Amino acid sequence: MVGPVVGPVVGMVGAGQLARMTFQASIALNVGFRVLAAQPQDSAAQVCPGASFGDYRDLDDLLAFAAGCDVVTFDHEHVPGPHLAALEQAGVVLRPGAEALRFAQDKLAMRERLVALGVPCPRYAPAAGLGDVTAFAADSGWPVVLKAVSGGYDGRGVWVCGTPERAAEVLAHGITVIVEEHVGFERELAALVARSPHNQGAAYPVVQTVQRDGVCREVLAPAPHLPAARAREAERLALQLAAELGVTGLLAVEFFETAAGLLVNELAMRPHNSGHWTMDGARTSQFEQHLRAVVDLPLGAPDAIAPRAVMANVFGSDDPDVYSRYTHVMAADPGVNLHLYGKTPRPGRKIGHVTVLPDTALGDDIDALRERAGHAARYLGEGKD
């Protein structure tokens, strides 16, 4: 008996919500999809029949997983660099590859490379000890920002230090850090682009991200009142970086918008929280686009399907009964698009997101959309109106 016809098999290292939503996109494309999960309770492992279990820090586990895949990609940046190099040496197709991923894994390498390319960034310096931090602050002023060179995400590994004493507390943990100027930005923006092995590129509308405590709370797409010239500048720079760094797949570039212009803050080479709105608000979702790119299919149209969209993250609370609150949210606003990740709720944990698009009956300006999205997210997560 002839088996089902499928395309290439994509393996994603990591089984969080990004892998879960990428699996959803793989179904319509008829692309095989596997995940390397740590445990069956992981978000993607709950729904993906191609789940394997192992440790992304173990080279043997990685090699065994890759043996069943045509191409391997990632939902996080934490696979050790030497393991990535060993996989490539063994003939595994990594997209993005080890050299590109280094600039998402190592903040010092990223800053050095961006500066060499002439890309505007916050001023920075390596910081081997408190003397390096205080010397930097003597020039830039306090506060300064200390960033873990590797391993940080979602606000973790970033410390705003207003005094030498606070900097000494951070350094006492023995983490390798860089020190950066504390940028007085007006807002944070993100440009999401895709690049294929054939060097085809696609850019989504530039969005505004709203952060609290270093964690993204809202995404406004497109960024309100962003001049067209500045939006084009951000998109062009993101596409340029994807090419210069050799990225295959998605690249998210996070910017500080300042009175003097744009500064590149962070890079991510995978689906990104700033692109979740595309699931409901763009012709091609970021998850489908990433799959298209890594298997070298023609890229999809990144255009928005509505003048604006708002995405709000849902955070858990002490009340785990999220499902009982569906009725209220759906009845109150049938236009809300819900996406839950199968994660056990706990205070501060990101367990899903909601997206809203304009509705003539409920208002279509950005404030009305933010109110709708915010209400739905708060009620789902905490049971609060």
Side-chain angles (χ1 to χ4, degrees):
M1 179 181 292
V2 178
V5 177
V6 297
V9 175
V10 176
M12 182 167 269
V13 177
Q17 63 261 25
L18 300 180
R20 182 184 179 108
M21 290 182 277
T22 307
F23 169 61
Q24 291 175 250
S26 75
I27 296 170
L29 289 177
N30 209 33
V31 168
F33 190 77
R34 302 178 61 208
V35 296
L36 180 62
Q39 56 189 351
Q41 294 78 23
D42 287 352
S43 182
Q46 296 174 30
V47 298
C48 181
S52 299
F53 298 97
D55 188 342
Y56 66 84
R57 296 162 296 190
D58 185 295
L59 180 57
D60 289 336
D61 285 354
L62 289 167
L63 286 166
F65 175 68
C69 306
D70 295 298
V71 59
V72 172
T73 188
F74 309 88
D75 90 337
H76 60 70
E77 294 90 2
H78 306 313
V79 178
H83 290 2
L84 296 172
L87 288 168
E88 288 189 327
Q89 289 169 4
V92 177
V93 178
L94 301 183
R95 290 178 176 161
E99 181 58 28
L101 279 167
R102 185 167 71 94
F103 301 111
Q105 295 179 318
D106 184 322
K107 288 185 171 56
L108 179 57
M110 176 192 72
R111 284 283 180 255
E112 291 174 341
R113 180 70 170 132
L114 294 183
V115 169
L117 291 171
V119 174
C121 300
R123 287 180 294 155
Y124 76 97
L130 185 60
D132 293 329
V133 176
T134 55
F136 184 87
D139 181 52
S140 70
W142 296 93
V144 297
V145 179
L146 297 185
K147 290 185 175 181
V149 168
S150 62
Y153 68 100
D154 261 358
R156 298 172 179 85
V158 179
W159 301 270
V160 178
C161 300
T163 65
E165 291 75 20
R166 175 57 182 148
E169 291 177 9
V170 174
L171 294 169
H173 294 292
I175 302 167
T176 303
V177 300
I178 59 173
V179 57
E180 291 187 351
E181 65 174 316
H182 187 264
V183 176
F185 57 86
E186 297 173 351
R187 58 177 172 174
E188 295 181 78
L189 304 174
L192 183 66
V193 300
R195 179 174 176 269
S196 75
H198 276 90
N199 207 29
Q200 183 188 10
Y204 287 96
V206 177
V207 301
Q208 177 180 345
T209 61
V210 180
Q211 316 276 334
R212 187 161 69 247
D213 299 326
V215 179
C216 180
R217 299 284 168 164
E218 290 179 283
V219 174
L220 316 180
H225 313 299
L226 183 66
R230 181 155 289 179
R232 287 194 297 271
E233 175 191 356
E235 292 172 6
R236 183 169 55 248
L237 180 54
L239 287 167
Q240 175 193 339
L241 287 176
E244 292 280 3
L245 302 180
V247 177
T248 301
L250 290 176
L251 171 67
V253 183
E254 298 180 58
F255 294 95
F256 292 136
E257 184 180 25
T258 74
L262 298 176
L263 298 177
V264 173
N265 180 33
E266 299 284 356
L267 303 178
M269 299 174 187
R270 51 169 171 76
H272 193 256
N273 201 176
S274 68
H276 287 356
W277 69 273
T278 64
M279 296 179 75
D280 306 298
R283 297 194 183 279
T284 308
S285 79
Q286 67 162 341
F287 302 101
E288 179 181 337
Q289 196 77 290
H290 186 67
L291 287 171
R292 286 185 181 219
V294 300
V295 300
D296 207 12
L297 289 170
L299 299 181
D303 314 59
I305 61 172
R308 57 192 62 84
V310 171
M311 186 283 298
N313 283 317
V314 178
F315 294 88
S317 68
D318 290 321
D319 181 358
D321 191 9
V322 176
Y323 187 79
S324 69
R325 298 192 279 275
Y326 278 19
T327 301
H328 174 89
V329 171
M330 292 176 176
D333 188 348
V336 171
N337 298 285
L338 277 62
H339 301 274
L340 279 296
Y341 305 152
K343 297 163 72 172
T344 302
R346 61 172 181 259
R349 188 184 199 191
K350 192 185 302 178
I351 61 171
H353 72 269
V354 300
T355 309
V356 296
L357 303 178
D359 185 302
T360 53
L362 298 173
D364 61 359
D365 64 82
I366 194 67
D367 292 333
L369 295 179
R370 293 182 72 178
E371 174 56 31
R372 290 171 59 199
H375 174 268
R378 286 190 303 273
Y379 195 85
L380 279 170
E382 306 170 23
K384 296 179 181 178
D385 281 311

